[in-house]
Amino acid sequence: LALLPRAGGELRAFVVAHSHMDVGWVYTVQESMHAYAANVYTTVIEELMKGKQRKFIAVEQEFFRLWWDLVATDTEKQQVRQLLQEGRLEFVIGGQVMHDEAVTLIDDQILQLTEGHGFLYETFGFRPQFSWHVDPFGASATTPTLFALAGFNAHLISRIDYDLKADMQKNKKLQFVWQGSPSLSARQEIFTHVMDQYSYCTPSQLPFSNRSGFFWNGFATFPDPPKDGVYPNMSLPVTDANLHLYAQTMVANIKERAAWFQTGDVLWPWGCDKQFFNASVQYSNMDLLVDYINKHSAEFGVTVQYATVSDYFQAVYNRNLTWEIRDSQDFLPYSTEPFQAWTGFYTSRSTLKGVARRASSLLYAGESFFTQYVWKHPEGSICKCKALEQLKSLRWAVSEVQHHDGITGTESPKVKDMYMNNLMYGMFNVKKLMASIIFDINSAKKNGEVYSSVYTTGSGKPGATDVDQYVVVYNPLAWNITTFVTVSVSNEEISVYDELGHSVPAQVQSSVESQSTYDLYILVAISGLSYRKYSIKPLDGKQSAFIGSSVKYKRRDLTRADQQNQKLFPVVNNCYQIVFDQNTNLMRSITERETNQTVQFTQEFLEYHVNGDTEKGPTSDNYLFAPNASAVPVAKAVGLEVMSGSLMTEIRQYFFSNVTSQDYIYAVYTRLFSVPEGYDGKLLCHRIEQEYSVGPLELNREAILRTSTNLNTRQILYTDNNGYQMQKRPFKAYVNNTVARNYYPMVQTAYIEDDTTRLMLLAERAHGVSSQGNGQVEVMLHRRIWNNLLWNLNNNLTLNDSSVVRPVIWLILGTKAATNTLYQTSALALEHRPVVIFGALSGYKPKLPRRLQQNSVHDLPVTVPPNLHLQTLSIPGWRYSSNHVEQVRSIHMGKEKQGDADFSRVLLRIRHLYEVVEDPVLSQPVMVDLKSLLKGLGSVTAVEERSLTGTWDVNTLERWKWKTAQYPGKKFFNSTETSEDFIVTVHPKEIRTFFVYFQVQ
């Protein structure tokens, strides 16, 4: 019965032509452009011009922009404008990439979306209003909120748990209104469509032929397109002889899918990965089918039309049905079969994940640094256009790696190298820009002080040097911070001074990383968005840096450790006492000193062994985690060294596979900080910093750090969605693969707790995390995988990663109330550690270091309250008018503004860090006076509130309101209160976006 047409008339199929174009995966962007991507746009535009009924959707802007800038002719550009005008070409999502949802940070998702949207609006006056998230591996609850804030009317996803999808399909629940944020709830809800089991690729099986159907252009070939135009696997062409059979096949599939949805509108994606590189053969065959079915629609009970995503959603919206509401629960993790849990990629290519985040953080710092330079130093000598290009190179690279086969670690080695090279190039440019700004600001009153070099190594520390050096330290956060920065030095007898020649607290000790150098920890206190300069000099008889003293303990054999007679010793600061046992060289407990609460606390490294032979059972790979048994402890013996000094104690533990091993694969460096009087040490004191060294692993090993406590957590874990909001993760038992299906992504934060006490973990890169036992949390730190699955080998998608990784995690232990006040600011302090730029002093040296010419950088810092985060302060450079009518008119008249970027418009985003009921104080709305906030940059003359990516004036943005039982009326959705007199009230979890204009000096 389900296959009969609806009472409301026949079924309508919306044929959405698309090409899923991975921005890196198996092939680099350059290889893809050459082999097929450029041909997609060239041939699609040509074919759309030939048939008025034809349509196409374009998704990833990185490929489209490369085609537009490097390939498209003037005629083709004119045609693109016309097709957009006619609604036959539609940009969906509109970001640079289709970003991953599990391991990306919200800031980077917003960046890549803003990059693409700015280009589309400046070039075409076009603003995407629909998503097409067909390929990310699981769906986060942050994404619907993001797209709602960007002005979207509907959201589309596909990859969710196979068993859940089957159930939703059967009960016609694949469409709902999603309230992704518990605090923003109905204000930023969005209608969401989950694709059915066929997902985004056209089902190609033909019952009347052993050749495939619907992919008439075949499959792309690499490295070159075939000379004769004949591609592999070209589908059976439509002829008079098979036209009816083709139509029957298509109609049967449309009817099968219609039974899973509540309306007679069927979304029928036509395309797949790397399709439409020869659009002529695609459309000429499909035209015949579409015409034939429509001529016989009475007989088939179906009409078919070419459509865009907005055509489909408009049809569903017009039905005026009442939809169910989904709360803020996400769709993670994601499994495709009982033994295919896609939870390995949460950790795959940890080094790339770390570099991507470091690049993002450097970009964040560089943007605000440049913005302040432009407005505070209008007479500055740096070429602003060149500076913007330097920033753009990093914007592009950070956007690119957010792709769902980028930061996920699911790409081939050469593509990983492409991402890394682009990130490193962009980081080099931004470091260079920041150094030249410092040089420019200070060059007016120089005394032979020259930045002879700005040098950093991969770790952010310079090579050790004997020259007097100085470091400029920039705090990119809009709060006052007190923290340590680390500098590598060649000698332990040194002094550190600030700009006024005052001695600065510092500690020097032998380096963890090298035998020949020392690590110098400098205590810095810097106000918001400001920098300080410190000189490092050989000891001059006055104040010197504290020298950390080392105690080495005997290596302990864990298999024979005396469990009865513990030999305990404490390591203490003002906030914690950590107790170690000399019999094992392992941690035993942590006491939070304010409440005197002691938690038993042990840590061990283990490895999951995984199978590499597909004949022998399930295998792990870049994507999948398929352990074949419980994790196995790796260490039989532990070495211990304690470095103690007056500012910090560092506990170095080395884990050996047996008592006589020379080399270790695992190490932990635990740091506890003590802050001298006169400094605000609250955050610093409350964090236990752990840096791990893991690798090189043996093949088919997945390395975890398991922390076990006596907290009665009932095996509930909490992990974040993209650093934006938390999700509750109760342990679930499954018939198969329970370990892997209880892994979740930790992008920035995870915690376990009992009724009184919480243990928080904060990360500077994404990891898989799980709670496999009561009171436990385990973090996957590294993976090295190889298997003989032909598909993996052919695409070079094995993960034979022999690197050593060095991730950092901060631990915070305390009451729920105490950790609540600490974790948001701490997570951001870890994400946005100060940027350290090194210079060397040469030539004439004054006796006292001269005060840095700071032109009031110190005097007027930019600071927001601790429950707000200044998420963006940048000069985007887009030249579009913020008045939509004007912008569209100038494009129609062919007057898009050419020439220089617009430096007068500053993009400002402010985010409220807390949920509605999370904290009695910090969850309150906050009033911000933007004029006062930014007075250090100049006099604010105008503020315009915009949508998330800047392309809509919020006062004219009207999103579709979908009917729900909660809101039976169906009206358009207008979101926010506007600001009077530059004063805005920011409510819990809001992200507010503004264009700010200053008086030109």
Side-chain angles (χ1 to χ4, degrees), residues 281-298:
V281 62
Q282 289 281 82
Y283 283 109
S284 56
N285 279 283
M286 189 55 102
D287 283 352
L288 299 169
L289 256 176
V290 168
D291 291 347
Y292 182 80
I293 293 173
N294 288 340
K295 278 203 186 81
H296 301 87
S297 62

Side-chain angles (χ1 to χ4, degrees), residues 856-909:
S856 83
V857 170
H858 270 355
D859 312 350
L860 293 170
V862 179
T863 44
V864 295
N867 51 355
L868 295 189
H869 170 44
L870 188 77
Q871 186 159 330
T872 310
L873 182 67
S874 72
I875 294 178
W878 302 119
R879 295 182 294 264
Y880 58 72
S881 165
S882 49
N883 177 315
H884 184 61
V885 178
E886 264 174 43
Q887 174 63 5
V888 172
R889 186 186 305 127
S890 70
I891 284 172
H892 281 330
M893 294 168 68
K895 279 203 207 134
E896 311 86 273
K897 300 188 189 138
Q898 293 309 317
D900 281 354
D902 176 2
F903 291 95
S904 66
R905 176 187 292 157
V906 171
L907 174 65
L908 169 74
R909 282 195 194 94

Side-chain angles (χ1 to χ4, degrees), residues 716-821:
I716 296 169
L717 173 69
Y718 295 81
T719 68
D720 65 329
N721 273 163
N722 315 104
Y724 178 65
Q725 62 192 42
M726 300 303 294
Q727 293 277 348
K728 185 177 182 177
R729 311 291 194 190
F731 189 83
K732 295 177 184 159
Y734 295 95
V735 178
N736 300 307
N737 218 17
T738 292
V739 170
R741 288 187 81 173
N742 278 285
Y743 256 78
Y744 295 92
M746 162 172 70
V747 177
Q748 208 170 40
T749 311
Y751 64 84
I752 55 173
E753 63 183 18
D754 64 11
D755 296 337
T756 58
T757 307
R758 181 182 288 169
L759 171 67
M760 305 221 61
L761 284 68
L762 304 173
E764 40 71 84
R765 69 188 73 179
H767 301 278
V769 290
S770 186
S771 178
Q772 299 282 340
N774 190 22
Q776 278 183 1
V777 57
E778 62 184 56
V779 181
M780 191 178 289
L781 296 173
H782 201 10
R783 324 176 65 218
R784 185 177 181 186
I785 309 290
W786 185 89
N787 64 52
N788 57 6
L789 185 67
L790 220 52
W791 185 84
N792 281 340
L793 297 175
N794 290 344
N795 292 306
N796 203 359
L797 287 175
T798 57
L799 190 65
N800 192 355
D801 181 350
S802 58
S803 65
V804 175
V805 298
R806 301 192 70 113
V808 171
I809 286 179
W810 288 358
L811 307 173
I812 300 176
L813 181 72
T815 61
K816 291 181 193 184
T819 54
N820 251 350
T821 61

Side-chain angles (χ1 to χ4, degrees), residues 126-188:
F126 184 89
R127 302 180 284 200
Q129 289 197 272
F130 300 93
S131 97
W132 181 258
H133 256 225
V134 298
D135 204 29
F137 323 133
S140 160
T142 303
T143 317
T145 302
L146 219 60
F147 288 155
L149 289 166
F152 285 20
N153 290 320
H155 176 37
L156 182 149
I157 62 178
S158 181
R159 290 183 181 267
I160 65 170
D161 259 340
Y162 68 100
D163 40 7
L164 179 60
K165 182 178 278 199
D167 188 59
M168 291 168 77
Q169 209 166 261
K170 193 175 79 197
N171 297 307
K172 298 191 186 186
K173 289 188 187 288
L174 290 168
Q175 293 171 316
F176 46 84
V177 169
W178 196 353
Q179 296 183 349
S181 161
S183 295
L184 301 175
S185 64
R187 284 185 302 147
Q188 302 300 346

Side-chain angles (χ1 to χ4, degrees), residues 508-689:
V508 67
Q509 57 198 39
S510 63
S511 170
V512 188
E513 288 176 45
S514 95
Q515 301 301 306
S516 57
T517 62
Y518 297 89
D519 288 338
L520 171 66
Y521 288 83
I522 305 172
L523 183 65
V524 298
I526 310 179
S527 35
L529 269 56
S530 303
Y531 67 85
R532 302 281 306 269
K533 178 178 140 183
Y534 301 91
S535 359
I536 299 167
K537 309 187 152 210
L539 195 53
D540 52 12
K542 294 208 286 277
Q543 184 76 40
S544 68
F546 298 110
I547 297 178
S549 59
S550 156
V551 178
K552 285 198 168 97
Y553 291 83
K554 200 172 142 211
R555 191 186 297 189
R556 293 297 180 180
D557 182 341
L558 295 180
T559 56
R560 305 179 131 153
D562 179 351
Q563 299 299 337
Q564 305 312 311
N565 298 321
Q566 297 175 353
K567 287 165 66 183
L568 305 179
F569 70 92
V571 175
V572 186
N573 73 356
N574 286 335
C575 298
Y576 299 113
Q577 169 175 288
I578 305 179
V579 172
F580 288 83
D581 181 358
Q582 272 168 264
N583 282 331
T584 59
N585 288 342
L586 295 174
M587 208 183 280
R588 292 300 307 240
S589 68
I590 301 180
T591 303
E592 200 278 313
R593 295 183 60 192
E594 195 178 349
T595 56
N596 209 17
Q597 168 96 15
T598 299
V599 175
Q600 285 165 26
F601 194 98
T602 56
Q603 290 185 310
E604 59 176 340
F605 287 108
L606 303 96
E607 288 173 347
Y608 287 103
H609 293 208
V610 296
N611 162 41
D613 184 352
T614 51
E615 299 293 303
K616 292 188 177 150
T619 54
S620 277
D621 61 19
N622 300 44
Y623 308 88
L624 309 177
F625 172 39
N628 55 19
S630 298
V632 181
V634 293
K636 297 269 192 318
V638 182
L640 177 69
E641 180 181 7
V642 178
M643 300 293 306
S644 43
S646 50
L647 296 179
M648 81 161 208
T649 304
E650 180 176 72
I651 299 106
R652 303 175 178 178
Q653 291 166 292
Y654 303 94
F655 295 78
F656 297 93
S657 52
N658 62 58
V659 181
T660 55
S661 308
Q662 288 304 299
D663 298 318
Y664 57 89
I665 294 177
Y666 294 89
V668 188
Y669 310 107
T670 303
R671 302 183 184 110
L672 207 54
F673 302 100
S674 298
V675 185
E677 286 293 306
Y679 285 86
D680 173 12
K682 187 177 170 200
L683 284 187
L684 199 50
C685 176
H686 277 95
R687 68 173 172 250
I688 299 169
E689 176 171 290

Side-chain angles (χ1 to χ4, degrees), residues 87 331 377 423 472 556 720 755 800 873 943 946 958 997:
F331 293 95
H377 302 279
L423 289 165
V472 173
R556 293 297 180 180
D720 65 329
D755 296 337
N800 192 355
L873 182 67
V943 172
R946 306 293 290 184
E958 294 193 322
Y997 302 89

